[in-house]
Amino acid sequence: LEEVCDDLADTLSDAIVQIRDRLKVKHVVYHAARHWSKPVDDPFIRLTYPAEWVHRYLTKNYMQVDPVIREGFQRALPFNWMEVGPSNELELEFFKDASTHNIGLSGYSIPLRDKTGRRALFSISSDHSAADWEERCKISF
């Protein structure tokens, strides 16, 4: 079973990189909840973010501040990150910090749900300007 899980993780990690490259975006994140009632507890995550940002995100407890996570696990329809923030000083600081760590200026997330009700979130980020990103999201995604 461990070998199958390891192979799946490697395959999914490779797929995330391939998706990023095909879409020509900055980063891709697949964040799945292992438990339907608590989407941020014990998540399964595959991403292309730099390790330094992941460490910072975890140590600064950004999961509690990140409006993309908050909205993504509540919404049913895809959304542009411009729709969700920043709406307060903590979120503004979070987005500034993400920008300085090369995460991307713009983003788009697609909420997912499996047949048992577990939630997941597929997100992409880019360095496109807000206007260019909004136009690209209308056309491509």
Side-chain angles (χ1 to χ4, degrees):
L1 184 58
E2 283 181 23
E3 287 178 24
V4 171
C5 290
D6 286 344
D7 288 345
L8 177 61
D10 289 343
T11 303
L12 188 52
S13 295
D14 293 343
I16 292 295
V17 170
Q18 290 172 14
I19 291 168
R20 179 199 62 199
D21 294 347
R22 273 208 177 162
L23 293 177
K24 297 180 176 136
V25 294
K26 190 89 176 166
H27 293 289
V28 171
V29 177
Y30 176 74
H31 176 169
R34 291 186 197 261
H35 308 287
W36 65 270
S37 64
K38 298 179 183 177
V40 296
D41 292 345
D42 190 29
F44 175 84
I45 300 174
R46 290 295 176 266
L47 45 76
T48 63
Y49 289 154
E52 180 184 345
W53 171 247
V54 174
H55 177 31
R56 187 164 182 82
Y57 189 96
L58 294 172
T59 58
K60 292 186 83 55
N61 201 23
Y62 277 151
M63 186 142 335
Q64 301 303 317
V65 176
D66 189 344
V68 173
I69 296 295
R70 180 188 66 237
E71 293 292 321
F73 281 98
Q74 293 177 1
R75 291 182 179 222
L77 298 175
F79 60 95
N80 192 321
W81 291 359
M82 287 182 273
E83 297 174 33
V84 299
S87 62
N88 60 50
E89 190 62 34
L90 286 173
E91 290 177 6
L92 180 61
E93 288 302 315
F94 163 71
F95 279 115
K96 284 181 183 177
D97 200 10
S99 178
T100 63
H101 284 85
N102 208 22
I103 299 308
L105 300 173
S106 303
Y108 191 81
S109 292
I110 303 169
L112 306 165
R113 182 183 297 232
D114 72 11
K115 64 183 179 180
T116 67
R118 284 182 306 207
R119 306 290 307 248
L121 190 61
F122 177 81
S123 299
I124 57 176
S125 66
S126 173
D127 276 337
H128 287 80
S129 70
D132 288 345
W133 185 246
E134 188 170 350
E135 191 60 31
R136 183 163 184 215
C137 289
K138 288 178 187 174
I139 295 169
S140 300
F141 307 120

